[in-house]
Every structure is written in C-alpha cells, then in structure tokens.
Amino acid sequence: EVDPNTAHRKEQKLTGKETEEVALADGTKVVIPPGAVPEGETLKLKVVLPQDAPKPVAKNAALEPVGVFREFTFSGGTSEFKKDLILTLPVPDEDKDGYVDGTKVLVSDLKVYYYSEKESVWLPVESKSKLAVSAASAGGAAGATFATRHFTLFGLFEERAVSQAPALGQLYAFPNPATAGKNPTFHVDSGPAERMELRVYDVSGQLVHAARVDSPPNVHDGRYAYRHTWDASRAASGLYLYVVDVYGAGGAKSTKSP
C-alpha cells in the first residue's frame, strides 16, 4: 500500500523499440510508444508532496489542488517527444462514490494542469486526445488520462470561478520591511486587466524604480492580481512610496497607492 504522505520515485531504462509502460502502485502510469524517445533513456517518475508543489497560480482560473502532483523527467534531458505519451494520474476516490475523498469535488470535474517554469504559473493540459477523468469502478481506481508530448510537473485541480469585478482591491508589498537583502514584491488585486505600471519613489519624490507588465494578470488566491518583484539591491535603506496604474479594456485607467 502506498503512503500518500511519502514522496515516491521510480526509475526505469527504456529500449525505445517497443511500447513500454512504467507505473506506480498508486495508479500513476505512463505509456511510451516505440520511437517516441531516444533509445536508452531512463524515465524518472516522482510523487511530489502537496507542500512541495508550486502555489496554485494560474492565468484564467482559480485552482484548488486535490493533492495529486507527479513529476516526469528523463535522465538524458529529453523533454519533448516525437509521439504522444499517455499519462495517467491517480484520483483519490477510495470509497468509489464519484467524489474526491474528503471533499465535495466531483471526480468528473477535475482538470489536469502542468507547471510552466518559464512563466511560474500552472497551465491547462491541452491534450490532442480527449482528457478522460474516469470514476472508480468495481475493478479499478479512478484516474485522469491524457496525451502529452512534453514532460514536466503535472497536477490535478478543481477549477473555480474568478471574480470579474474590474475595481482595484488590495495593494501591498511583501516582505515589509524588506530587510537583509530581500527584494520586495508588489501585489495589486486588479480584476480583469490588460497591463500594469508601477512607480516607486523615495521620500524626496525622486523616482527610483519603474516597471510595466504588458499582459493580463494571473490568478492569485482566487482573484486576478499583478505581482512584480523589485531588485532593490542598489537601493538605500529608507522609506519608499509607490503608485500602481492598472489599464483595462479600451485603455481605462485605475490608479492606487497605499
């Protein structure tokens, strides 16, 4: 029996000449067709504990994780493939009632996301074959099966609605104070928007930092929000003031400062 609170790993060398399957006892599985990856690659499959997974930040949805994270890599560095690999993530539904154990989340409502290191957000899996999230049956466990041509960290989430209110909400910087060489991150709840501009001033009114984000906000804690980290390594110790401008559709501007 697999302990869900323990990280598990499995490594298996592949021949690349025939269809091969690598699986864990919990139902995690990957099927590799012949010729999809170079001969002699070693597949590494890792169970990532929820506390070790990146925060559930996405672009267009509020994500609620259900505790299933799996990392797939190859020892030789192969990350993109010539053919579709079929992955299955286990769905926690031991009582087979169609709901994720300990929640009111329907198994059929679960979505698979992958983590983008480049963008530092979770993105939905866009499988060429239909994503199949199956409930547990008398003869087997529930699972989410999908096709992919790249490896990374994958997770199961429930998608929740995001507020569409355009008004600016919370605005703050953290850590505050930013001491011991720590760089402050500015956060503003923006609602749907197109871009954000930030200006930081010292107490004399001198502009010491300016930044512009020309993209829509991500979703943080169920709300659309912008975040920007200032490299303040060259800034003198002291008090700073900041102003944020958020631009919506058609150039509508909202301004806020603490």
Side-chain angles (χ1 to χ4, degrees):
E1 186 174 338
V2 177
D3 181 358
N5 297 312
T6 303
H8 304 282
R9 300 171 184 265
K10 184 171 184 176
E11 295 187 14
Q12 183 170 318
K13 190 171 184 178
L14 307 174
T15 67
K17 297 179 180 180
E18 58 185 15
T19 298
E20 297 173 85
E21 180 179 302
V22 181
L24 295 178
D26 65 1
T28 303
K29 183 170 63 175
V30 54
V31 178
I32 305 110
V37 298
E39 182 178 349
E41 270 282 24
T42 297
L43 171 67
K44 295 183 178 182
L45 197 166
K46 178 183 177 182
V47 174
V48 176
L49 300 180
Q51 62 267 29
D52 297 327
K55 292 183 178 180
V57 177
K59 289 183 176 293
N60 298 305
L63 301 182
E64 183 65 29
V66 297
V68 177
F69 299 97
R70 300 293 183 268
E71 185 176 52
F72 300 83
T73 58
F74 280 115
S75 60
T78 301
S79 60
E80 296 185 358
F81 321 121
K82 298 177 181 179
K83 299 179 182 179
D84 287 344
L85 275 61
I86 306 301
L87 275 59
T88 299
L89 304 183
V91 174
D93 182 21
E94 291 188 5
D95 55 10
K96 301 181 180 181
D97 64 351
Y99 290 86
V100 175
D101 293 337
T103 75
K104 295 182 180 180
V105 178
L106 284 168
V107 167
S108 58
D109 286 343
L110 292 178
K111 305 294 182 182
V112 180
Y113 276 68
Y114 71 93
Y115 188 69
S116 169
E117 293 280 357
K118 181 179 180 180
E119 300 186 59
S120 298
V121 295
W122 289 91
L123 300 173
V125 166
E126 296 180 358
S127 178
K128 291 183 179 179
S129 62
K130 184 179 180 181
L131 172 66
V133 181
S134 60
S137 62
T145 300
F146 57 98
T148 183
R149 290 200 176 187
H150 70 94
F151 268 177
T152 181
L153 175 64
F154 296 90
L156 286 179
F157 299 88
E158 177 194 18
E159 292 180 338
R160 295 184 177 178
V162 183
S163 172
Q164 299 297 312
L168 297 185
Q170 294 186 76
L171 171 62
Y172 56 88
F174 65 94
N176 188 11
T179 58
K182 295 181 179 179
N183 292 321
T185 295
F186 300 90
H187 171 108
V188 57
D189 291 341
S190 61
E194 294 186 352
R195 79 175 192 270
M196 181 272 287
E197 295 178 0
L198 166 73
R199 301 182 302 282
V200 182
Y201 302 89
D202 62 20
V203 291
S204 70
Q206 180 72 31
L207 178 68
V208 296
H209 177 69
R212 173 169 168 161
V213 179
D214 288 310
S215 61
N218 292 323
V219 178
H220 296 266
D221 300 323
R223 298 183 297 274
Y224 285 111
Y226 283 103
R227 283 187 177 180
H228 169 75
T229 299
W230 172 28
D231 180 1
S233 57
R234 297 184 179 181
S237 297
L239 179 67
Y240 291 89
L241 309 174
Y242 55 95
V243 178
V244 171
D245 296 325
V246 173
Y247 294 83
K253 174 183 173 182
S254 297
T255 300
K256 189 166 187 176
S257 59

